[in-house]
């Protein structure tokens, strides 16, 4: 059994920042284990902007945000084991933790003083949601649909109903629309939208996609492929939507089934601890777990009792606290939505402030006022998409280098669908000068061949 000081499970934003922080603090014997062939986790498929606003003060896409941490990870000195899945984490009888890993060379076991679990979460599927009806093809989770479109350039359907208004569902509603599919509605059982206000505004309101709150799917129909769904509201009124695709975006559960309970020296961070709204907070959570782990290792070495600074091992309590916070936030948002005041939701940062549509007040900072004034006169958005690479089935993700008028989004997508880039294009390269407007460039946000 190979010995390591610390093992980090997962190389998404949480695992990458935990490993880098440990190396920065002087730890030299760190192994990062990742089941995919490259680091990045969910960020690889999130080609939209909205990342890095609090951490870097920049509005980055997922691949751009990933690139920053990926570079730091490769330079950190941590050992990296890819295409390897952690199957089991248990306490060793002699102290320490045993981690069993399925690697391309077969099953391997490691013993370490500490493990940082940064394995993210997975989506809940139809079985969990208990939706009645037949079992045709054409039902996807939002994350799967996102990976198919953004990593494989595969369209999932033409007429789509989305179940659940979590952020992934909202972001995909916009993406489906931009790629020419029709999103008939988003069905949400709660009284208000589940995702961030910023995403509701940018992804649904911008494209006139109806959000049916206090409603649920009562039946899915179809033999080979989905044919229609019935949506029932809380008064029992039913509507049938003829669609070929249902996309589920109704919850995430922690990917922690491989870890035993109450293991001394096991720390949690990122989405496996609880679902974070922002990757920026996930990265901070990774650093906090690294600091707790360092404190634990030093206490153990000096024979002192360990006092956690960030409670990254007190998982149940942290999750409980988060539940209360979410419930409180929902209540506040419900109250605001019922106040009936006309407002513009600021999308300059994740706060999603409600700016009064007449007086332009109500923002937590002065960006809100400027945003609301521009939004009334000439609303603009950054456009992100994928472009085919010449003579191959590969794609790369792209963005406009500045916000473009909202009214030009669909026309821009038509141009993008007809474009091809040369192989070997690098992240940051200009893919098209004077794209859609004289002063707008289209920029690659990942390089050809990057995973
Ligand atoms: C659709 C979508 C849109 C989002 N939009 C935004 C946004 O606009 N702005 C923003 O700030 N944030 C956004 N986020 C949130 C952010 O991307 C996530 O919160 C973040 O990626 C979670 O990071 P993580 O490291 O905890 O988990 P992940 O990114 O899921 O990484 C976990 C890693 O662990 C690996 N792993 C899992 N199990 C094992 C195992 N047994 N063995 C080895 N490896 C394993 C996985 O392969 C993965 O690489 C979005 C998320 C999604 C899904």
């Amino acid at each position: 059994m190979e010995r390591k000081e610390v093992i980090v499970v997962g190389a998404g934003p949480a695992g990458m920042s935990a490993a880098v922080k440990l190396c920065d603090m002087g730890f030299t014997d760190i192994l990062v284990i990742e089941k995919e062939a490259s680091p990045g986790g969910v960020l690889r498929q999130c080609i939209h902007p909205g990342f890095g606003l609090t951490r870097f003060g920049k509005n980055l896409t997922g691949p751009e945000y990933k690139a920053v941490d990926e570079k730091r990870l490769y330079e950190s000195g941590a050992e990296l084991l890819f295409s390897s899945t952690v199957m089991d984490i248990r306490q060793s009888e002699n102290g320490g933790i045993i981690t069993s890993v399925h690697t391309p060379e077969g099953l391997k076991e490691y013993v370490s003083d500490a493990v940082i679990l940064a394995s993210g979460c997975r989506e809940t599927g139809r079985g969990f949601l208990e939706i009645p009806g037949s079992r045709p093809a054409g039902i996807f989770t939002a994350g799967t649909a996102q990976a198919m479109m953004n990593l494989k350039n595969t369209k999932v359907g033409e007429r789509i109903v989305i179940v659940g208004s979590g952020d992934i569902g909202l972001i995909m509603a916009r993406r489906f629309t931009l790629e020419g599919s029709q999103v008939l509605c988003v069905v949400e059982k709660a009284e208000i939208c589940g995702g961030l206000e910023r995403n509701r505004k940018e992804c649904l309101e911008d494209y006139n996609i109806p959000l049916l709150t206090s409603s649920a799917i009562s039946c899915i129909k179809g033999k080979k492929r989905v044919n229609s769904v019935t949506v029932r509201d809380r008064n029992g009124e039913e509507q049938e939507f003829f669609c070929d695709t249902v996309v589920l975006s109704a919850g995430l559960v922690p990917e922690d089934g491989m870890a035993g309970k109450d293991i001394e020296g096991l720390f949690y961070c990122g989405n496996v601890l609880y679902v974070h709204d922002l990757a920026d907070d996930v990265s901070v959570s990774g650093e906090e777990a690294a600091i707790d782990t360092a404190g634990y290792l030093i206490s153990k070495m000096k024979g002192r009792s360990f006092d956690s600074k960030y409670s990254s091992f007190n998982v149940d309590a942290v999750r409980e606290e988060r539940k209360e916070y979410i419930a409180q936030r929902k209540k506040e948002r419900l109250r605001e939505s019922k106040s009936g005041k006309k407002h513009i939701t600021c999308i300059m940062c994740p706060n999603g402030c409600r700016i009064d549509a007449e007086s332009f007040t109500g923002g937590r900072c002065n960006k809100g006022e400027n945003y609301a004034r521009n939004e009334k006169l000439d609303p603009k958005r950054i456009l992100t998409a994928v472009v085919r690479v010449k003579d191959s089935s590969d794609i790369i993700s792209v963005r406009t280098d500045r916000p473009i008028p909202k009214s030009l989004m669909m026309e821009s997508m038509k141009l993008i669908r007809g474009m091809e880039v040369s192989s070997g294009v690098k992240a940051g390269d200009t893919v098209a000068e004077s794209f859609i407007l004289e002063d707008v460039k289209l920029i690659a946000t990942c390089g050809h061949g990057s995973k």
Side-chain angles (χ1 to χ4, degrees), residues 137-139 156-160 225-228 242-246:
I139 305 174
V156 294
E158 297 299 335
R159 290 172 61 79
I160 302 173
R225 177 93 191 187
V226 174
N227 186 28
S228 75
F242 292 93
C243 57
D244 57 23
T245 304
V246 174

Side-chain angles (χ1 to χ4, degrees), residues 8-16 33-36 38-46 48-54 59-60 62 65 81 84-88 101 117-123 142-143 146 167-169 171-172 174 196 198-199 252 255-256 258 269-283 285 350:
V8 179
V9 180
M16 289 195 283
I33 305 172
E34 167 56 53
K35 72 176 175 198
E36 298 294 336
S38 63
V42 176
L43 296 173
R44 296 183 308 131
Q45 65 191 62
C46 293
H48 57 278
F51 296 82
L53 287 159
T54 56
N59 191 4
L60 305 176
Y65 185 95
L81 183 60
S84 299
T85 304
V86 170
M87 310 298 288
D88 185 46
V101 193
L117 195 60
S119 44
C121 47
R122 64 172 187 280
E123 295 170 290
Q146 187 181 50
D167 288 311
I168 315 179
I171 282 161
M172 288 315 293
R174 172 179 61 188
L196 293 173
R198 178 186 70 166
N199 287 338
L252 297 163
E255 190 70 86
D256 61 356
M258 77 300 254
C269 61
N271 278 3
V272 72
L273 180 58
Y274 65 81
V275 179
H276 292 66
D277 294 330
L278 299 177
D280 302 53
D281 298 338
V282 162
S283 301
S285 157

Side-chain angles (χ1 to χ4, degrees), residues 131-133 161 163 185 187 212 215-222 226-233 236-243 246:
I131 303 173
V161 168
V163 184
C185 60
V187 183
L212 309 181
S215 301
I217 302 251
S218 57
C219 187
I220 296 180
K221 290 182 202 152
V226 174
N227 186 28
S228 75
V229 297
T230 310
V231 176
R232 184 184 292 158
D233 70 15
E237 300 272 333
E238 289 192 334
Q239 273 188 82
E240 191 163 10
F241 289 89
F242 292 93
C243 57
V246 174

